[in-house]
Amino acid sequence: VNDSLMRFFDHCAKFVALVEENDAAMCQVNAFKEGPEMKKVLEKVASALCLPVEELNADLVQVAFLTCSYELAIKNVTSPWCSLFSEEDAKVLEYLNDLKQYWKRGYGYDINSRSSCILFQDIFQHLDKAVEESKSSKPISSPLIVQVGHAETLQPLLALMGYFKDDEPLLANNYAWHTQRKFRSGRIVPYAANLVFVLYHCDHVNASQEEYQVQLLLNEKLLSFHHSNETISTYADLKDYYKDILENCHFKEECELPKVNITAVDEL
């Protein structure tokens, strides 16, 4: 168990104070709950349940939707709660959850992803050690490294690496614009989500820098690298692409609370 590494978000004072425990940080989420798309869903659900719409709110409707989705995912049964929602309703509720993940664990605030650099650097330290041992013709001391965390661990790391970033931020008022968005947390970090770095030692290569190559798999599917749009990269090129994060992202400094007395919104 290494919570300081795998639960970095709990140990990042800036994230905890300015995002986790700051209601203002979720202003886009709260605004969407009161917006026209959610209002339409509320009215439909209230009508189906023969309830005054005033007795429902976005949180209660979301609980019903999650009950439907959990039973479908875990038990493979269609809950009676599912009958309350059309496909369009489900898309609205999916966007509500994506908004929360975007602003709390994704691209909404820099500290969300920057706090994960301690884990990113740890991964490359293990890869560096394997390369060093291989070059010295030593047995690889740790041929497999497994770290177990949560979606809250993986989502910031993927944001730090630049994956699933849309041209426009997810906001309460641009739901229609984002129907084809990349940032869909249910697909990025589903149940049993996993990210795998695979390091290869290649014997037959044209240049020494091609001797060590890397592939990335997210949920058992190959990811293309940003710097090449290919699914395999030399280790040297990958390290060069992420050089700034590997050399200049320092967890302690990133996570320090600002010394001056400014509001959380100003700091974020």
Side-chain angles (χ1 to χ4, degrees):
V1 176
N2 189 348
D3 282 350
S4 62
L5 185 67
M6 300 307 291
R7 295 185 64 87
F8 50 81
F9 42 87
D10 284 343
H11 299 264
C12 183
K14 186 175 181 180
F15 170 79
V16 172
L18 303 186
V19 180
E20 181 74 34
E21 296 179 353
N22 176 22
D23 291 339
M26 295 297 106
C27 61
Q28 294 297 325
V29 180
N30 295 329
F32 188 74
K33 288 178 180 180
E34 304 296 329
E37 294 87 2
M38 276 303 302
K39 184 179 179 182
K40 186 177 179 182
V41 175
L42 280 172
E43 290 171 348
K44 287 176 64 178
V45 172
S47 175
L49 294 174
C50 300
L51 289 172
V53 71
E54 296 78 19
E55 292 189 17
L56 289 180
N57 58 40
D59 292 335
L60 287 171
V61 170
Q62 192 174 32
V63 169
F65 180 67
L66 291 174
T67 303
C68 159
S69 59
Y70 288 159
E71 292 197 14
L72 186 64
I74 297 169
K75 299 181 180 179
N76 198 29
V77 298
T78 302
S79 165
W81 292 105
C82 296
S83 64
L84 294 175
F85 305 104
S86 67
E87 184 175 338
E88 184 54 42
D89 298 334
K91 289 177 180 178
V92 172
L93 287 158
E94 179 195 24
Y95 190 74
L96 175 60
N97 186 60
D98 285 348
L99 266 178
K100 179 182 177 182
Q101 299 305 319
Y102 183 89
W103 289 97
K104 199 168 188 177
R105 305 291 178 186
Y107 291 104
Y109 303 111
D110 285 344
I111 191 59
N112 298 350
S113 59
R114 296 292 287 184
S115 61
S116 74
C117 68
I118 188 173
L119 176 56
F120 188 70
Q121 290 162 352
D122 183 78
I123 291 168
F124 276 82
Q125 286 166 11
H126 287 298
L127 293 171
D128 281 345
K129 185 178 179 182
V131 169
E132 182 184 331
E133 290 173 339
S134 174
K135 285 182 175 179
S136 304
S137 299
K138 296 177 182 177
I140 306 301
S141 56
S142 299
L144 175 67
I145 306 289
V146 179
Q147 304 278 20
V148 181
H150 296 274
E152 292 86 353
T153 307
L154 195 51
Q155 186 74 78
L157 182 65
L158 288 165
L160 183 72
M161 296 174 68
Y163 284 103
F164 309 106
K165 185 175 185 178
D166 294 284
D167 294 335
E168 295 290 330
L170 272 64
L171 301 172
N173 63 1
N174 64 3
Y175 166 74
W177 198 92
H178 276 301
T179 54
Q180 301 300 318
R181 66 189 178 279
K182 299 173 186 175
F183 192 92
R184 291 183 182 272
S185 57
R187 299 181 187 178
I188 301 167
V189 284
Y191 289 122
N194 57 87
L195 178 66
V196 181
F197 287 74
V198 187
L199 178 67
Y200 294 94
H201 178 222
C202 306
D203 292 323
H204 305 291
V205 292
N206 297 321
S208 59
Q209 63 265 31
E210 296 176 0
E211 188 177 355
Y212 295 95
Q213 303 197 27
V214 183
Q215 283 188 319
L216 275 180
L217 294 94
L218 177 65
N219 306 322
E220 295 91 54
K221 294 180 180 177
L222 285 168
L223 274 180
S224 296
F225 292 101
H226 287 303
H227 61 278
S228 64
N229 209 31
E230 302 288 338
T231 57
I232 194 160
S233 168
T234 67
Y235 185 51
D237 283 349
L238 184 63
K239 285 189 69 176
D240 185 61
Y241 182 74
Y242 289 116
K243 183 178 180 180
D244 182 62
I245 298 172
L246 292 171
E247 295 182 359
N248 300 318
C249 184
H250 305 289
F251 182 80
K252 184 179 178 182
E253 287 79 2
E254 297 284 349
C255 289
E256 277 183 342
L257 280 168
K259 300 291 192 297
V260 292
N261 186 21
I262 59 176
T263 68
V265 173
D266 287 340
E267 171 62 19
L268 290 169

